[in-house]
Amino acid sequence: MDMVVYKWDGVTHAGLICLVILAQQRQTLKLPNKTFKALVAIENLADDLLLLKNQYNVEKLVLSLILGLLKRLGRAGDADRLRSIRVLLEANLMQSSLVAAALTPMLRLSQDTASLRRSKDDFDTQSALADLILCLADSETVGPVIKLAFGDLDNETQQLGFDILRKTSVMKEESRPPEADIGMQDADDVSVTEQFEALVSRIPVQTAFEMSLLTHSDSYIFRSLLDAFQAASRSQKHLDAFSELSVLRKSLALTEPLYVSFFIRVWCGYHPTSVRESAIKMLSDYFSTERLVADVQVLLPYILHTLGDPSPSVRRAAAQLVLTLASSYNTVDSQSDDQSKFPILGKGQIYGQGKESEQITWLSWQAVVSFFKDWLVPHLEEYRLDAEHIGRSVVNGLRASTERREVENGPQKFKKSLRASILTWLSSHVVNTPIYAVKERLLPMLTRVPKVGQVATVTLLTPMLATTISQGQEDIEGCCKKEHIDPSRYIDLVMEIATPDDRESIKLLQACINNTQTIADPLVHLAAFRRLRNVWSLLRPQLQVALGEIMLELAFDFDSHEASFRQREATDTLRTVKLSTDTLQAFLQSCPSLSDSGPTRTAKRRRTASPLRISGDDIRKISFVLELMESSVTETDFPLLGRLFKVMADLQGYRHRTGTQLHYLELLAMNSVRGILERSANPQIERNDIRVDVLVDCIRNSSDPQVQQTALLLVSILASIAPKLILHDVMPIFTFMGSSIMKRTDDYSAYVVKQTMDSVIPRIMDSLRKRHKNTMAGVSELLLSFAAAFEHIPRDRRLTLFRSLVEMIGVDEFLFALLILLHNKLPYNKGVLQFSVDLLDCYEAETQFQTVERYLDTITDSLSTKPTFSIHLVARDLSRHFEAIVTDLLSYLVILLGDKRLITKISQAFALDGTRSEQLRPILSRITNQTLSISRQFPERPKVNGLCQDLLAIILGGLPMEDFIPTFQDLLSSADTETCFDALTIFELRLRNGKPTPATGHEACAGFLPKLSSILEESKDEQNKRIALACIDLIVERFGKKNVDPVVQATSTVAGAKCLGATSEELRTTSLLCLSTVVGVLQDEFVSFVPQTLPKTLDTFSGGLEDGTCSRRFHNAAYSFFSALLLYIPWVATGPDLDLLLKVSHGSANANLDEDCSAERRAALELIAKQIEPRECCAALERTWANAMAEGPELSIMENLLGRLSKSAIGRQSEAFAMLLTKSFDLRRIQFAYRTEDSYEEKEVKEVEDAANVAAITLVTRINDTIFRPMFVQLIDWAASSSAKAKVHRQTAIYKFFIQFFNRFK
């Protein structure tokens, strides 16, 4: 509870509701301190609790608050606390038992001066608390509840309360003139004896006319007798003295009822418990000492009343009286043989000399004895313990044995005659007794027993009902106030006498509510309405109709302003009870007509007459009746349908004539129809009663959204239960929905649209399938209405709505139609494309493929001379050529399927489930054939062909390799050259994407190599061959090592005359690139192809360099092949082949190619130096030196050799290296001795000499002195032994070397 009030503002009721519920569940009444402070701080707390009282039990929280306020008295702020207590109690939030729990500490604190000191702010809390109790007791609102609560207190606390009330009464009387207060003194200043004597002195010595004090007229001696008895009840001596008063005529107690009636009136009155207990004991003592000489059954009704008293001590005293009387009756019964001679005490006198006493029915002596012996005495202990037990016992005793349900240990079964006698006797006393408290307690016992035999309780009690209705509220309230009972509750109990099967009692209620004289008696009037509400469901239908019409008239009786509460009650009653079909039909017939086509008006008069207008009162009456219809209709009210539809038709006619739209009335009528139809499992509808045209008119012409929504819901309901009634009028509904209700963003509109679709569309589809072979005509109209509304539908609801639509009409059958219609209707709306992708993504790959297939079917059908279904989807506009239509549709499909989400879903469908892939492959094959068929119909239209190729690329490109290749093979076998090229291109792209492929994909790719080889052998198209070679290259690179045999077979084809030996350089280039990859895969197994491939490549390369036809692509491809050979099988490159390779490298270096070509060449030469044996390498360099001098020497091989070989290996080849260096130093002589056009420039010679010097320095650093000295001497001698001109050039080269050498090591 503390957490609830933590940081709350107290403004909303949510927190207060939590506290109410928690307080109800707590075992203790003490509230936590924080919670208490938070509650007290709320302004108007009592008002808030009063609002919650109707839905929640606030009693325990209110009691906890009051007890908390009382506990905190004696501190500063007591005045505010007492004010809060008063407000809470006056709000009447608790029943009397809980009020008693709050009164107990209040009464004790008001009398206990020790526990309640004067507060710090000098406020007299004790006096204020006593005043508060007095004010509450005198309050008109809570006073009766406070006084009733006194009865729930124990004797001591109850006496404190009556002392306070008595002090107040004494204080009021002391304020009167002295002559009006003779003999009365302050109770605190006189002794009990003096007070008793003073009160006795005011009692007359005798009474002349009064025989009983239970008469209906006021007694002039009862008040004084009561005051004296109350004073005497504190002392037994005074009680004895009181009983001997002559005015009571105790000696005649068994002859006349005066003595007995006084004590009856005392114990049945609103007096302290001790006083009532004393009154009972007085009679008990009297009968214990006196022998019965009369039948005192007059006491029994009042004993029954007392056995139901809330006070346990009073019930104990009553039980003792029962034992005493039972003993007396038994004694007389055993001693006397003829008890019929015993007079009945009070017969003809007990209620006065009038008709009240004469109307009393009396029991026989034996019936009284049996009542004591078998009814009361055996169960006295239960009566003592439980105040409610006597009521259950009486009811159980009066009922037949088959009707007993309430008390197991109740009276034994009596004969029907005895029970009827007891019922008649007790009813007569209840009707005629003047004590309203007795009536209030005994009446429920009787009304719960409908009849005994042929004696109906209602017949016995109807006079009491009639008397109460005619008595008047003022008289009833006065009597109830004297006895401190609630008049409203009393009147309600009396009204329960009326039973639905008793015509007379119901007529009394009817007369009561319809009688203008009872307007002045609202309590009686309202009680009659409440009783009617309670018994309404049990009334006969004809009586319901009559009473309903009366209340309908009362509800609209505007002639009397004083009857407003009667109108309100009549209205509330009609709204509360369950109205039958006949009643509702009578109400509809009583409504004023809205139609101007009555029988007395001719067509001409209807045309010329002014529009019919009705009054506001008539509108209110129609509205009220329709409201009753809406809340009361059930599944059995089918007879009302025709009338309700007529009301709706009249409302629409009234709108057309006057321009006034009565939306609320239309809503009520439609809600009533909806209520009837929705609640019925098997509706029995007359076709003539249903007016679908009225609903369609409401949907199309009403400006109120709620009317439209309700009409749509009605259409959906009718579609579910009677589809034939609405099928002919339903299409305009969807057209209107697209332009109105689908635009709205509220949740209810979305719900209405969904309900309408769920109910109507399946029925439309069923009807279309039954009536037409081609359902596309009707479906296209339906889809078109939704497509037209696409832009108006909120974005967040489009996908859900259209998905529901296609699922209702059939996703596999008509999703393609929706996509086409959306595109045709909104060709320039970008949102349509994204929406279509989202819609397709909602379904599995099977559905997507089927949609594509049906989409292509539509294109194919539109190209035929006699289209069947496409005419409903694709408009044949003469201004547009077929090519434009096909292009438009294909481009939309290509863009649509190009979304990554759709491609991924297709791939996953094939990859994850082999069974699904088997199911999808036939569909994919059909899609491929359809695409090819469309492409063949436009052989000279590159745009259409390109779109078809793009479509195939998207569809086939998304398949896993193992599923793609089978489809791909079929495509290659049936396609033309261009399509074959596109398919091969798709395959190449798939191979290049680098995605991991499972083992099944590897096998499929390797198995596809023979097909590619056949293309190389058979195809005459160079493009196809090139792309096939590229595919072989990629397959070999990615999967060749896992399955070598297909690679060997494919290599034979690539190395053959139609690829490597082809005349096309592009084809040769692609073949070389493929062979480069094959070498890396086959390695030693490629040796068998070297004689076929290497010489041919070298010859082709050399020839291209010589005639200048060698392209850079071929150049690089050739060197890639050479590099592959040198890398994986270098030992095959020897002798002439190596010499030719070096020669073509010399030519490449001298061909002025770009840097990429030079890089390829250098990479190959580096591999020669690294991979070829040094001896073979040096020999080849020497053999090709002359060619190198002519083309341009390439010394990088020698540099790489010197860097790769060890010193010992260099030493073994030192002579060869020395010879090569000597030849490189002789380049200057060769180029400058005899100059020609082809001679090197100085710059070029310098570059070669620098490279040779670097190689020489490397050689010198890698050999020892033993090898170097002879080499050096030989080099000097070589330079000096030549002619003078040659000597200059050679020595120049030598000295350049020495300079670079010495600079390196200085």
Side-chain angles (χ1 to χ4, degrees):
M1 297 180 84
D2 284 344
M3 293 304 296
V4 171
V5 302
Y6 180 68
K7 289 188 177 180
W8 80 333
D9 54 4
V11 175
T12 62
H13 286 165
L16 192 56
I17 291 172
C18 290
L19 292 180
V20 167
I21 296 172
L22 290 173
Q24 193 66 25
Q25 300 299 323
R26 281 170 61 88
Q27 299 297 323
T28 178
L29 291 173
K30 182 180 179 181
L31 292 175
N33 193 38
K34 292 182 180 178
T35 304
F36 176 80
K37 290 181 179 179
L39 287 171
V40 173
I42 298 177
E43 295 183 5
N44 302 322
L45 175 61
D47 295 339
D48 293 340
L49 291 172
L50 196 59
L51 289 175
L52 300 179
K53 180 182 177 183
N54 294 330
Q55 297 180 351
Y56 303 95
N57 190 347
V58 302
E59 294 179 335
K60 201 166 182 180
L61 182 63
V62 175
L63 180 59
S64 300
L65 276 171
I66 293 174
L67 295 179
L69 291 167
L70 291 172
K71 184 179 179 181
R72 288 164 175 79
L73 291 177
R75 310 172 188 175
D78 279 355
D80 294 334
R81 296 186 185 93
L82 291 175
R83 190 178 302 110
S84 299
I85 292 173
R86 178 173 182 176
V87 170
L88 290 172
L89 286 173
E90 287 185 341
N92 204 6
L93 298 169
M94 298 185 295
Q95 57 184 350
S96 60
S97 60
L98 294 181
V99 173
L103 281 177
T104 300
M106 292 174 65
L107 293 170
R108 295 187 183 279
L109 286 173
S110 66
Q111 300 297 316
D112 191 355
T113 58
S115 61
L116 191 62
R117 299 182 296 272
R118 186 178 292 271
S119 63
K120 296 180 181 179
D121 53 0
D122 201 29
F123 179 75
D124 190 356
T125 304
Q126 188 173 14
S127 300
L129 185 58
D131 292 340
L132 173 61
I133 297 172
L134 299 175
C135 291
L136 292 173
D138 291 338
S139 171
E140 293 183 358
T141 57
V142 76
V145 180
I146 294 291
K147 293 173 182 177
L148 283 174
F150 281 159
D152 296 329
L153 302 174
D154 57 67
N155 293 341
E156 182 181 356
T157 308
Q158 192 179 59
Q159 192 60 47
L160 290 174
F162 283 113
D163 287 344
I164 292 175
L165 296 177
R166 190 178 295 110
K167 288 181 181 179
T168 307
S169 176
V170 172
M171 292 171 63
K172 290 180 179 178
E173 291 181 2
E174 286 178 347
S175 63
R176 299 174 185 172
E179 59 271 16
D181 193 23
I182 300 176
M184 288 298 295
Q185 301 291 331
D186 190 348
D188 295 332
D189 298 333
V190 297
S191 65
V192 175
T193 302
E194 292 175 345
Q195 182 183 4
F196 173 68
E197 292 175 351
L199 292 172
V200 168
S201 64
R202 299 174 57 185
I203 300 174
V205 177
Q206 60 181 3
T207 174
F209 303 105
E210 288 189 280
M211 302 291 293
S212 172
L213 295 179
L214 292 177
T215 60
H216 289 264
S217 58
D218 292 336
S219 172
Y220 73 95
I221 65 169
F222 179 74
R223 183 70 251 178
S224 57
L225 285 172
L226 177 61
D227 292 338
F229 183 73
Q230 287 180 340
S233 62
R234 301 184 184 182
S235 171
Q236 185 61 41
K237 181 179 68 174
H238 295 157
L239 287 174
D240 295 338
F242 178 83
S243 67
E244 298 298 333
L245 292 175
S246 59
V247 70
L248 291 176
R249 300 198 289 271
K250 180 179 180 181
S251 60
L252 301 176
L254 294 175
T255 304
E256 61 182 23
L258 179 63
Y259 182 80
V260 174
S261 63
F262 170 75
F263 294 108
I264 290 175
R265 190 162 182 178
V266 171
W267 81 54
C268 293
Y270 184 73
H271 308 298
T273 302
S274 58
V275 175
R276 290 184 283 128
E277 184 179 353
S278 298
I280 299 171
K281 288 181 178 180
M282 291 292 290
L283 283 186
S284 182
D285 293 340
Y286 174 79
F287 286 111
S288 64
T289 58
E290 293 290 335
R291 182 179 182 277
L292 281 182
V293 294
D295 187 353
V296 293
Q297 61 176 282
V298 70
L299 294 172
L300 284 177
Y302 303 97
I303 291 176
L304 294 177
H305 164 80
T306 310
L307 289 174
D309 194 281
S311 173
S313 60
V314 173
R315 295 199 300 274
R316 286 194 294 270
Q320 184 59 44
L321 177 59
V322 169
L323 289 175
T324 301
L325 291 175
S327 176
S328 300
Y329 269 94
N330 289 335
T331 301
V332 173
D333 197 46
S334 62
Q335 295 177 358
S336 177
D337 296 332
D338 189 6
Q339 295 86 1
S340 60
K341 296 179 180 180
F342 280 66
I344 299 176
L345 180 64
K347 186 175 183 180
Q349 301 172 335
I350 186 64
Y351 301 126
Q353 299 298 324
K355 62 179 181 178
E356 289 84 0
S357 297
E358 296 175 356
Q359 292 175 351
I360 299 299
T361 302
W362 300 96
L363 296 174
S364 65
W365 176 274
Q366 291 301 327
V368 176
V369 172
S370 179
F371 192 83
F372 275 107
K373 179 180 178 181
D374 301 325
W375 201 315
L376 296 180
V377 174
H379 309 288
L380 278 180
E381 187 61 30
E382 287 86 348
Y383 300 152
R384 291 192 189 104
L385 296 176
D386 185 6
E388 302 294 332
H389 192 82
I390 184 64
R392 297 192 295 268
S393 179
V394 170
V395 173
N396 192 59
L398 291 176
R399 285 177 174 173
S401 59
T402 57
E403 299 175 348
R404 298 182 185 182
R405 301 182 184 91
E406 301 187 25
V407 181
E408 294 183 1
N409 297 324
Q412 300 301 315
K413 180 180 178 182
F414 289 96
K415 292 182 178 180
K416 186 184 297 184
S417 59
L418 179 58
R419 289 187 286 112
S421 300
I422 294 174
L423 176 64
T424 306
W425 158 75
L426 190 57
S427 299
S428 64
H429 280 283
V430 170
V431 170
N432 292 285
T433 181
I435 305 177
Y436 279 68
V438 176
K439 293 175 182 285
E440 183 187 38
R441 188 165 295 167
L442 297 184
L443 190 58
M445 303 179 190
L446 298 175
T447 54
R448 288 160 64 186
V449 182
K451 67 177 182 178
V452 176
Q454 300 300 319
V455 180
T457 306
V458 63
T459 305
L460 301 174
L461 298 178
T462 299
M464 182 178 177
L465 175 62
T467 301
T468 303
I469 293 175
S470 62
Q471 185 176 359
Q473 178 176 325
E474 184 176 356
D475 189 11
I476 296 174
E477 285 183 332
C479 296
C480 291
K481 187 175 183 181
K482 289 179 181 179
E483 300 187 29
H484 296 85
I485 61 176
D486 185 4
S488 178
R489 181 177 182 274
Y490 170 77
I491 296 173
D492 284 338
L493 290 175
V494 174
M495 292 298 170
E496 289 182 3
I497 294 173
T499 57
D501 55 351
D502 183 70
R503 183 180 296 272
E504 294 301 322
S505 61
I506 295 300
K507 284 185 177 181
L508 286 174
L509 294 183
Q510 178 179 341
C512 179
I513 64 173
N514 199 28
N515 189 358
T516 57
Q517 295 180 358
T518 60
I519 295 178
D521 303 331
L523 285 181
V524 178
H525 198 84
L526 299 179
F529 274 110
R530 284 194 292 270
R531 183 55 182 168
L532 273 181
R533 288 196 285 266
N534 292 335
V535 302
W536 181 269
S537 60
L538 302 176
L539 294 174
R540 289 189 295 273
Q542 298 84 354
L543 197 55
Q544 285 186 355
V545 173
L547 287 172
E549 291 178 338
I550 290 173
M551 285 189 285
L552 185 62
E553 292 178 3
L554 293 177
F556 291 91
D557 181 12
F558 301 103
D559 297 334
S560 174
H561 295 287
E562 293 81 4
S564 60
F565 80 92
R566 186 172 63 176
Q567 298 170 9
R568 182 176 63 252
E569 283 300 311
T571 302
D572 293 344
T573 301
L574 290 175
R575 292 184 188 278
T576 304
V577 300
K578 180 66 181 71
L579 299 175
S580 64
T581 304
D582 295 337
T583 306
L584 293 174
Q585 206 155 20
F587 286 179
L588 283 174
Q589 293 174 356
S590 68
C591 290
S593 177
L594 295 172
S595 175
D596 63 346
S597 56
T600 59
R601 302 189 68 179
T602 62
K604 180 178 180 181
R605 293 188 64 184
R606 287 197 299 270
R607 289 193 302 268
T608 58
S610 60
L612 174 68
R613 292 189 179 275
I614 56 178
S615 65
D617 291 342
D618 292 337
I619 292 291
R620 282 192 290 271
K621 184 172 183 179
I622 297 173
S623 174
F624 178 69
V625 170
L626 291 177
E627 286 173 356
L628 295 178
M629 298 280 294
E630 181 185 27
S631 61
S632 300
V633 291
T634 64
E635 65 277 6
T636 60
D637 292 330
F638 294 110
L640 300 176
L641 289 176
R643 186 70 186 179
L644 285 170
F645 273 102
K646 184 179 184 306
V647 170
M648 287 190 283
D650 290 346
L651 288 171
Q652 293 176 23
Y654 184 77
R655 180 182 67 228
H656 293 319
R657 292 190 303 272
T658 64
T660 303
Q661 297 196 13
L662 302 175
H663 298 312
Y664 182 61
L665 300 184
E666 290 177 329
L667 272 175
L668 292 174
M670 285 190 286
N671 284 334
S672 300
V673 175
R674 180 183 171 188
I676 295 173
L677 298 177
E678 281 184 338
R679 295 182 177 93
S680 175
N682 298 307
Q684 304 296 325
I685 300 177
E686 293 292 337
R687 186 180 184 89
N688 296 332
D689 291 340
I690 305 300
R691 295 279 303 276
V692 181
D693 60 313
V694 174
L695 298 178
V696 174
D697 189 65
C698 286
I699 295 171
R700 299 179 63 179
N701 298 322
S702 177
S703 60
D704 185 72
Q706 287 186 329
V707 173
Q708 299 168 358
Q709 292 165 351
T710 308
L712 283 172
L713 289 176
L714 268 180
V715 170
S716 65
I717 296 171
L718 288 172
S720 301
I721 60 178
K724 294 181 180 180
L725 298 178
I726 57 99
L727 290 178
H728 298 291
D729 302 296
V730 75
M731 285 305 177
I733 294 175
F734 286 105
T735 303
F736 174 78
M737 285 171 58
S739 61
S740 62
I741 193 170
M742 289 185 188
K743 297 180 181 180
R744 302 191 183 104
T745 59
D746 59 287
D747 293 338
Y748 188 71
S749 295
Y751 165 77
V752 171
V753 172
K754 185 179 184 304
Q755 287 294 108
T756 305
M757 292 172 58
D758 291 345
S759 302
V760 176
I761 293 179
R763 276 73 187 181
I764 294 177
M765 295 304 300
D766 292 341
S767 176
L768 290 175
R769 289 188 176 98
K770 291 178 181 178
R771 290 186 297 167
H772 305 288
K773 294 182 179 180
N774 182 11
T775 59
M776 186 58 71
V779 173
S780 62
E781 183 180 356
L782 175 65
L783 292 177
L784 190 61
S785 63
F786 281 87
F790 176 84
E791 292 181 305
H792 306 301
I793 301 172
R795 290 187 178 182
D796 58 326
R797 291 178 180 161
R798 285 177 184 170
L799 185 60
T800 304
L801 188 143
F802 278 94
R803 184 177 179 182
S804 300
L805 173 64
V806 296
E807 288 175 357
M808 291 174 194
I809 63 178
V811 180
D812 297 336
E813 295 180 85
F814 298 108
L815 177 56
F816 80 97
L818 176 62
L819 298 178
I820 293 174
L821 290 173
L822 281 173
H823 175 63
N824 290 341
K825 192 70 178 177
L826 303 166
Y828 305 108
N829 190 325
K830 296 181 180 180
V832 170
L833 177 61
Q834 184 60 46
F835 168 78
S836 301
V837 172
D838 294 339
L839 184 60
L840 263 180
D841 189 48
C842 294
Y843 302 101
E844 297 299 329
E846 293 87 347
T847 301
Q848 295 177 3
F849 274 172
Q850 290 174 0
T851 300
V852 174
E853 182 183 3
R854 297 298 305 275
Y855 192 103
L856 295 174
D857 282 340
T858 305
I859 298 177
T860 304
D861 186 71
S862 67
L863 296 175
S864 64
T865 55
K866 293 181 179 180
T868 57
F869 65 91
S870 62
I871 193 171
H872 304 293
L873 302 176
V874 181
R876 284 183 165 242
D877 189 353
L878 297 179
S879 63
R880 299 179 66 196
H881 193 269
F882 284 147
E883 180 185 359
I885 297 174
V886 174
T887 301
D888 185 32
L889 291 175
L890 282 176
S891 60
Y892 178 66
L893 184 60
V894 168
I895 297 173
L896 186 65
L897 296 179
D899 189 87
K900 292 182 179 179
R901 290 178 294 170
L902 303 182
I903 296 174
T904 303
K905 181 167 286 188
I906 293 174
S907 302
Q908 291 175 350
F910 278 94
L912 298 178
D913 192 344
T915 304
R916 293 182 66 190
S917 63
E918 292 295 331
Q919 297 173 352
L920 290 173
R921 197 173 289 123
I923 305 176
L924 185 61
S925 179
R926 291 196 296 271
I927 291 174
T928 304
N929 292 330
Q930 286 175 317
T931 308
L932 294 174
S933 175
I934 295 171
S935 178
R936 293 190 191 99
Q937 294 191 49
F938 296 91
E940 298 179 359
R941 296 292 187 269
K943 192 169 184 179
V944 175
N945 293 328
L947 289 171
C948 291
Q949 293 168 11
D950 293 342
L951 181 60
L952 289 175
I954 292 171
I955 295 175
L956 299 177
L959 302 180
M961 191 64 70
E962 60 270 21
D963 293 295
F964 171 78
I965 288 178
T967 306
F968 183 63
Q969 286 179 330
D970 297 338
L971 184 63
L972 290 178
S973 62
S974 61
D976 55 13
T977 300
E978 292 182 358
T979 306
C980 181
F981 173 78
D982 294 332
L984 290 170
T985 303
I986 296 169
F987 186 45
E988 181 191 14
L989 294 175
R990 286 294 309 277
L991 293 172
R992 290 185 185 278
N993 63 14
K995 294 181 180 179
T997 304
T1000 53
H1002 301 169
E1003 297 174 0
C1005 289
F1008 190 59
L1009 286 175
K1011 179 64 178 178
L1012 294 174
S1013 299
S1014 67
I1015 293 174
L1016 296 176
E1017 293 285 348
E1018 300 171 2
S1019 177
K1020 297 180 181 180
D1021 187 82
E1022 182 180 338
Q1023 283 185 328
N1024 289 348
K1025 288 186 175 182
R1026 285 205 310 268
I1027 198 70
L1029 284 169
C1031 293
I1032 293 174
D1033 187 1
L1034 291 170
I1035 291 174
V1036 171
E1037 179 182 2
R1038 296 188 61 185
F1039 317 117
K1041 292 183 178 180
K1042 298 179 180 179
N1043 193 352
V1044 177
D1045 293 339
V1047 178
V1048 173
Q1049 296 176 6
T1051 304
S1052 177
T1053 304
V1054 175
K1058 294 189 177 182
C1059 293
L1060 187 61
T1063 58
S1064 171
E1065 183 175 311
E1066 285 295 326
L1067 194 57
R1068 293 197 301 268
T1069 300
T1070 309
S1071 300
L1072 284 174
L1073 292 174
C1074 180
L1075 290 173
S1076 301
T1077 304
V1078 170
V1079 171
V1081 173
L1082 296 181
Q1083 297 184 9
D1084 291 346
E1085 295 185 30
F1086 189 77
V1087 173
S1088 61
F1089 298 103
V1090 172
Q1092 183 182 358
T1093 57
L1094 182 57
K1096 186 184 299 185
T1097 304
L1098 290 172
D1099 292 343
T1100 305
F1101 192 13
S1102 175
L1105 289 174
E1106 289 177 0
D1107 57 18
T1109 60
C1110 180
S1111 66
R1112 59 180 298 276
R1113 286 191 73 251
F1114 181 82
H1115 175 278
N1116 292 343
Y1119 270 108
S1120 295
F1121 177 62
F1122 298 151
S1123 297
L1125 291 174
L1126 293 169
L1127 182 63
Y1128 295 106
I1129 47 176
W1131 47 271
V1132 301
T1134 58
D1137 292 334
L1138 182 59
D1139 292 348
L1140 187 55
L1141 177 58
L1142 291 176
K1143 289 179 181 180
V1144 296
S1145 298
H1146 299 157
S1148 171
N1150 197 36
N1152 294 324
L1153 299 174
D1154 57 19
E1155 185 61 28
D1156 291 339
C1157 296
S1158 299
E1160 291 287 341
R1161 182 184 66 252
R1162 285 194 292 269
L1165 294 176
E1166 288 178 3
L1167 287 173
I1168 292 175
K1170 291 180 180 179
Q1171 301 292 101
I1172 303 298
E1173 286 292 330
R1175 183 184 299 276
E1176 181 66 27
C1177 190
C1178 291
L1181 289 174
E1182 186 176 357
R1183 290 192 299 270
T1184 60
W1185 188 259
N1187 182 265
M1189 292 299 103
E1191 299 292 340
E1194 181 65 62
L1195 299 178
S1196 61
I1197 297 177
M1198 187 169 63
E1199 293 177 13
N1200 291 328
L1201 278 173
L1202 291 173
R1204 177 173 70 89
L1205 297 177
S1206 64
K1207 289 183 179 182
S1208 59
I1210 292 175
R1212 288 192 296 271
Q1213 304 295 329
S1214 60
E1215 293 182 2
F1217 285 122
M1219 181 61 68
L1220 291 174
L1221 289 174
T1222 300
K1223 289 183 177 183
S1224 65
F1225 289 152
D1226 200 33
L1227 179 65
R1228 179 174 289 275
R1229 181 189 65 78
I1230 295 172
Q1231 297 294 332
F1232 289 163
Y1234 303 98
R1235 303 286 293 174
T1236 64
E1237 293 180 357
D1238 296 329
S1239 297
Y1240 286 11
E1241 299 294 333
E1242 176 65 29
K1243 181 180 179 181
E1244 294 174 334
V1245 172
K1246 184 178 183 301
E1247 291 178 357
V1248 175
E1249 288 179 341
D1250 288 342
N1253 291 336
V1254 172
I1257 292 171
T1258 304
L1259 177 63
V1260 170
T1261 57
R1262 302 292 301 279
I1263 59 178
N1264 55 31
D1265 185 66
T1266 304
I1267 300 174
F1268 176 70
R1269 284 181 180 275
M1271 187 184 297
F1272 181 76
V1273 172
Q1274 185 180 359
L1275 184 63
I1276 295 299
D1277 292 343
W1278 170 77
S1281 63
S1282 58
S1283 64
K1285 189 174 182 179
K1287 182 179 180 180
V1288 173
H1289 292 298
R1290 287 180 177 178
Q1291 288 179 345
T1292 299
I1294 294 297
Y1295 290 139
K1296 282 181 176 289
F1297 164 68
F1298 287 158
I1299 291 171
Q1300 193 168 351
F1301 179 79
F1302 293 136
N1303 286 335
R1304 171 81 177 274
F1305 295 102
K1306 67 178 179 180

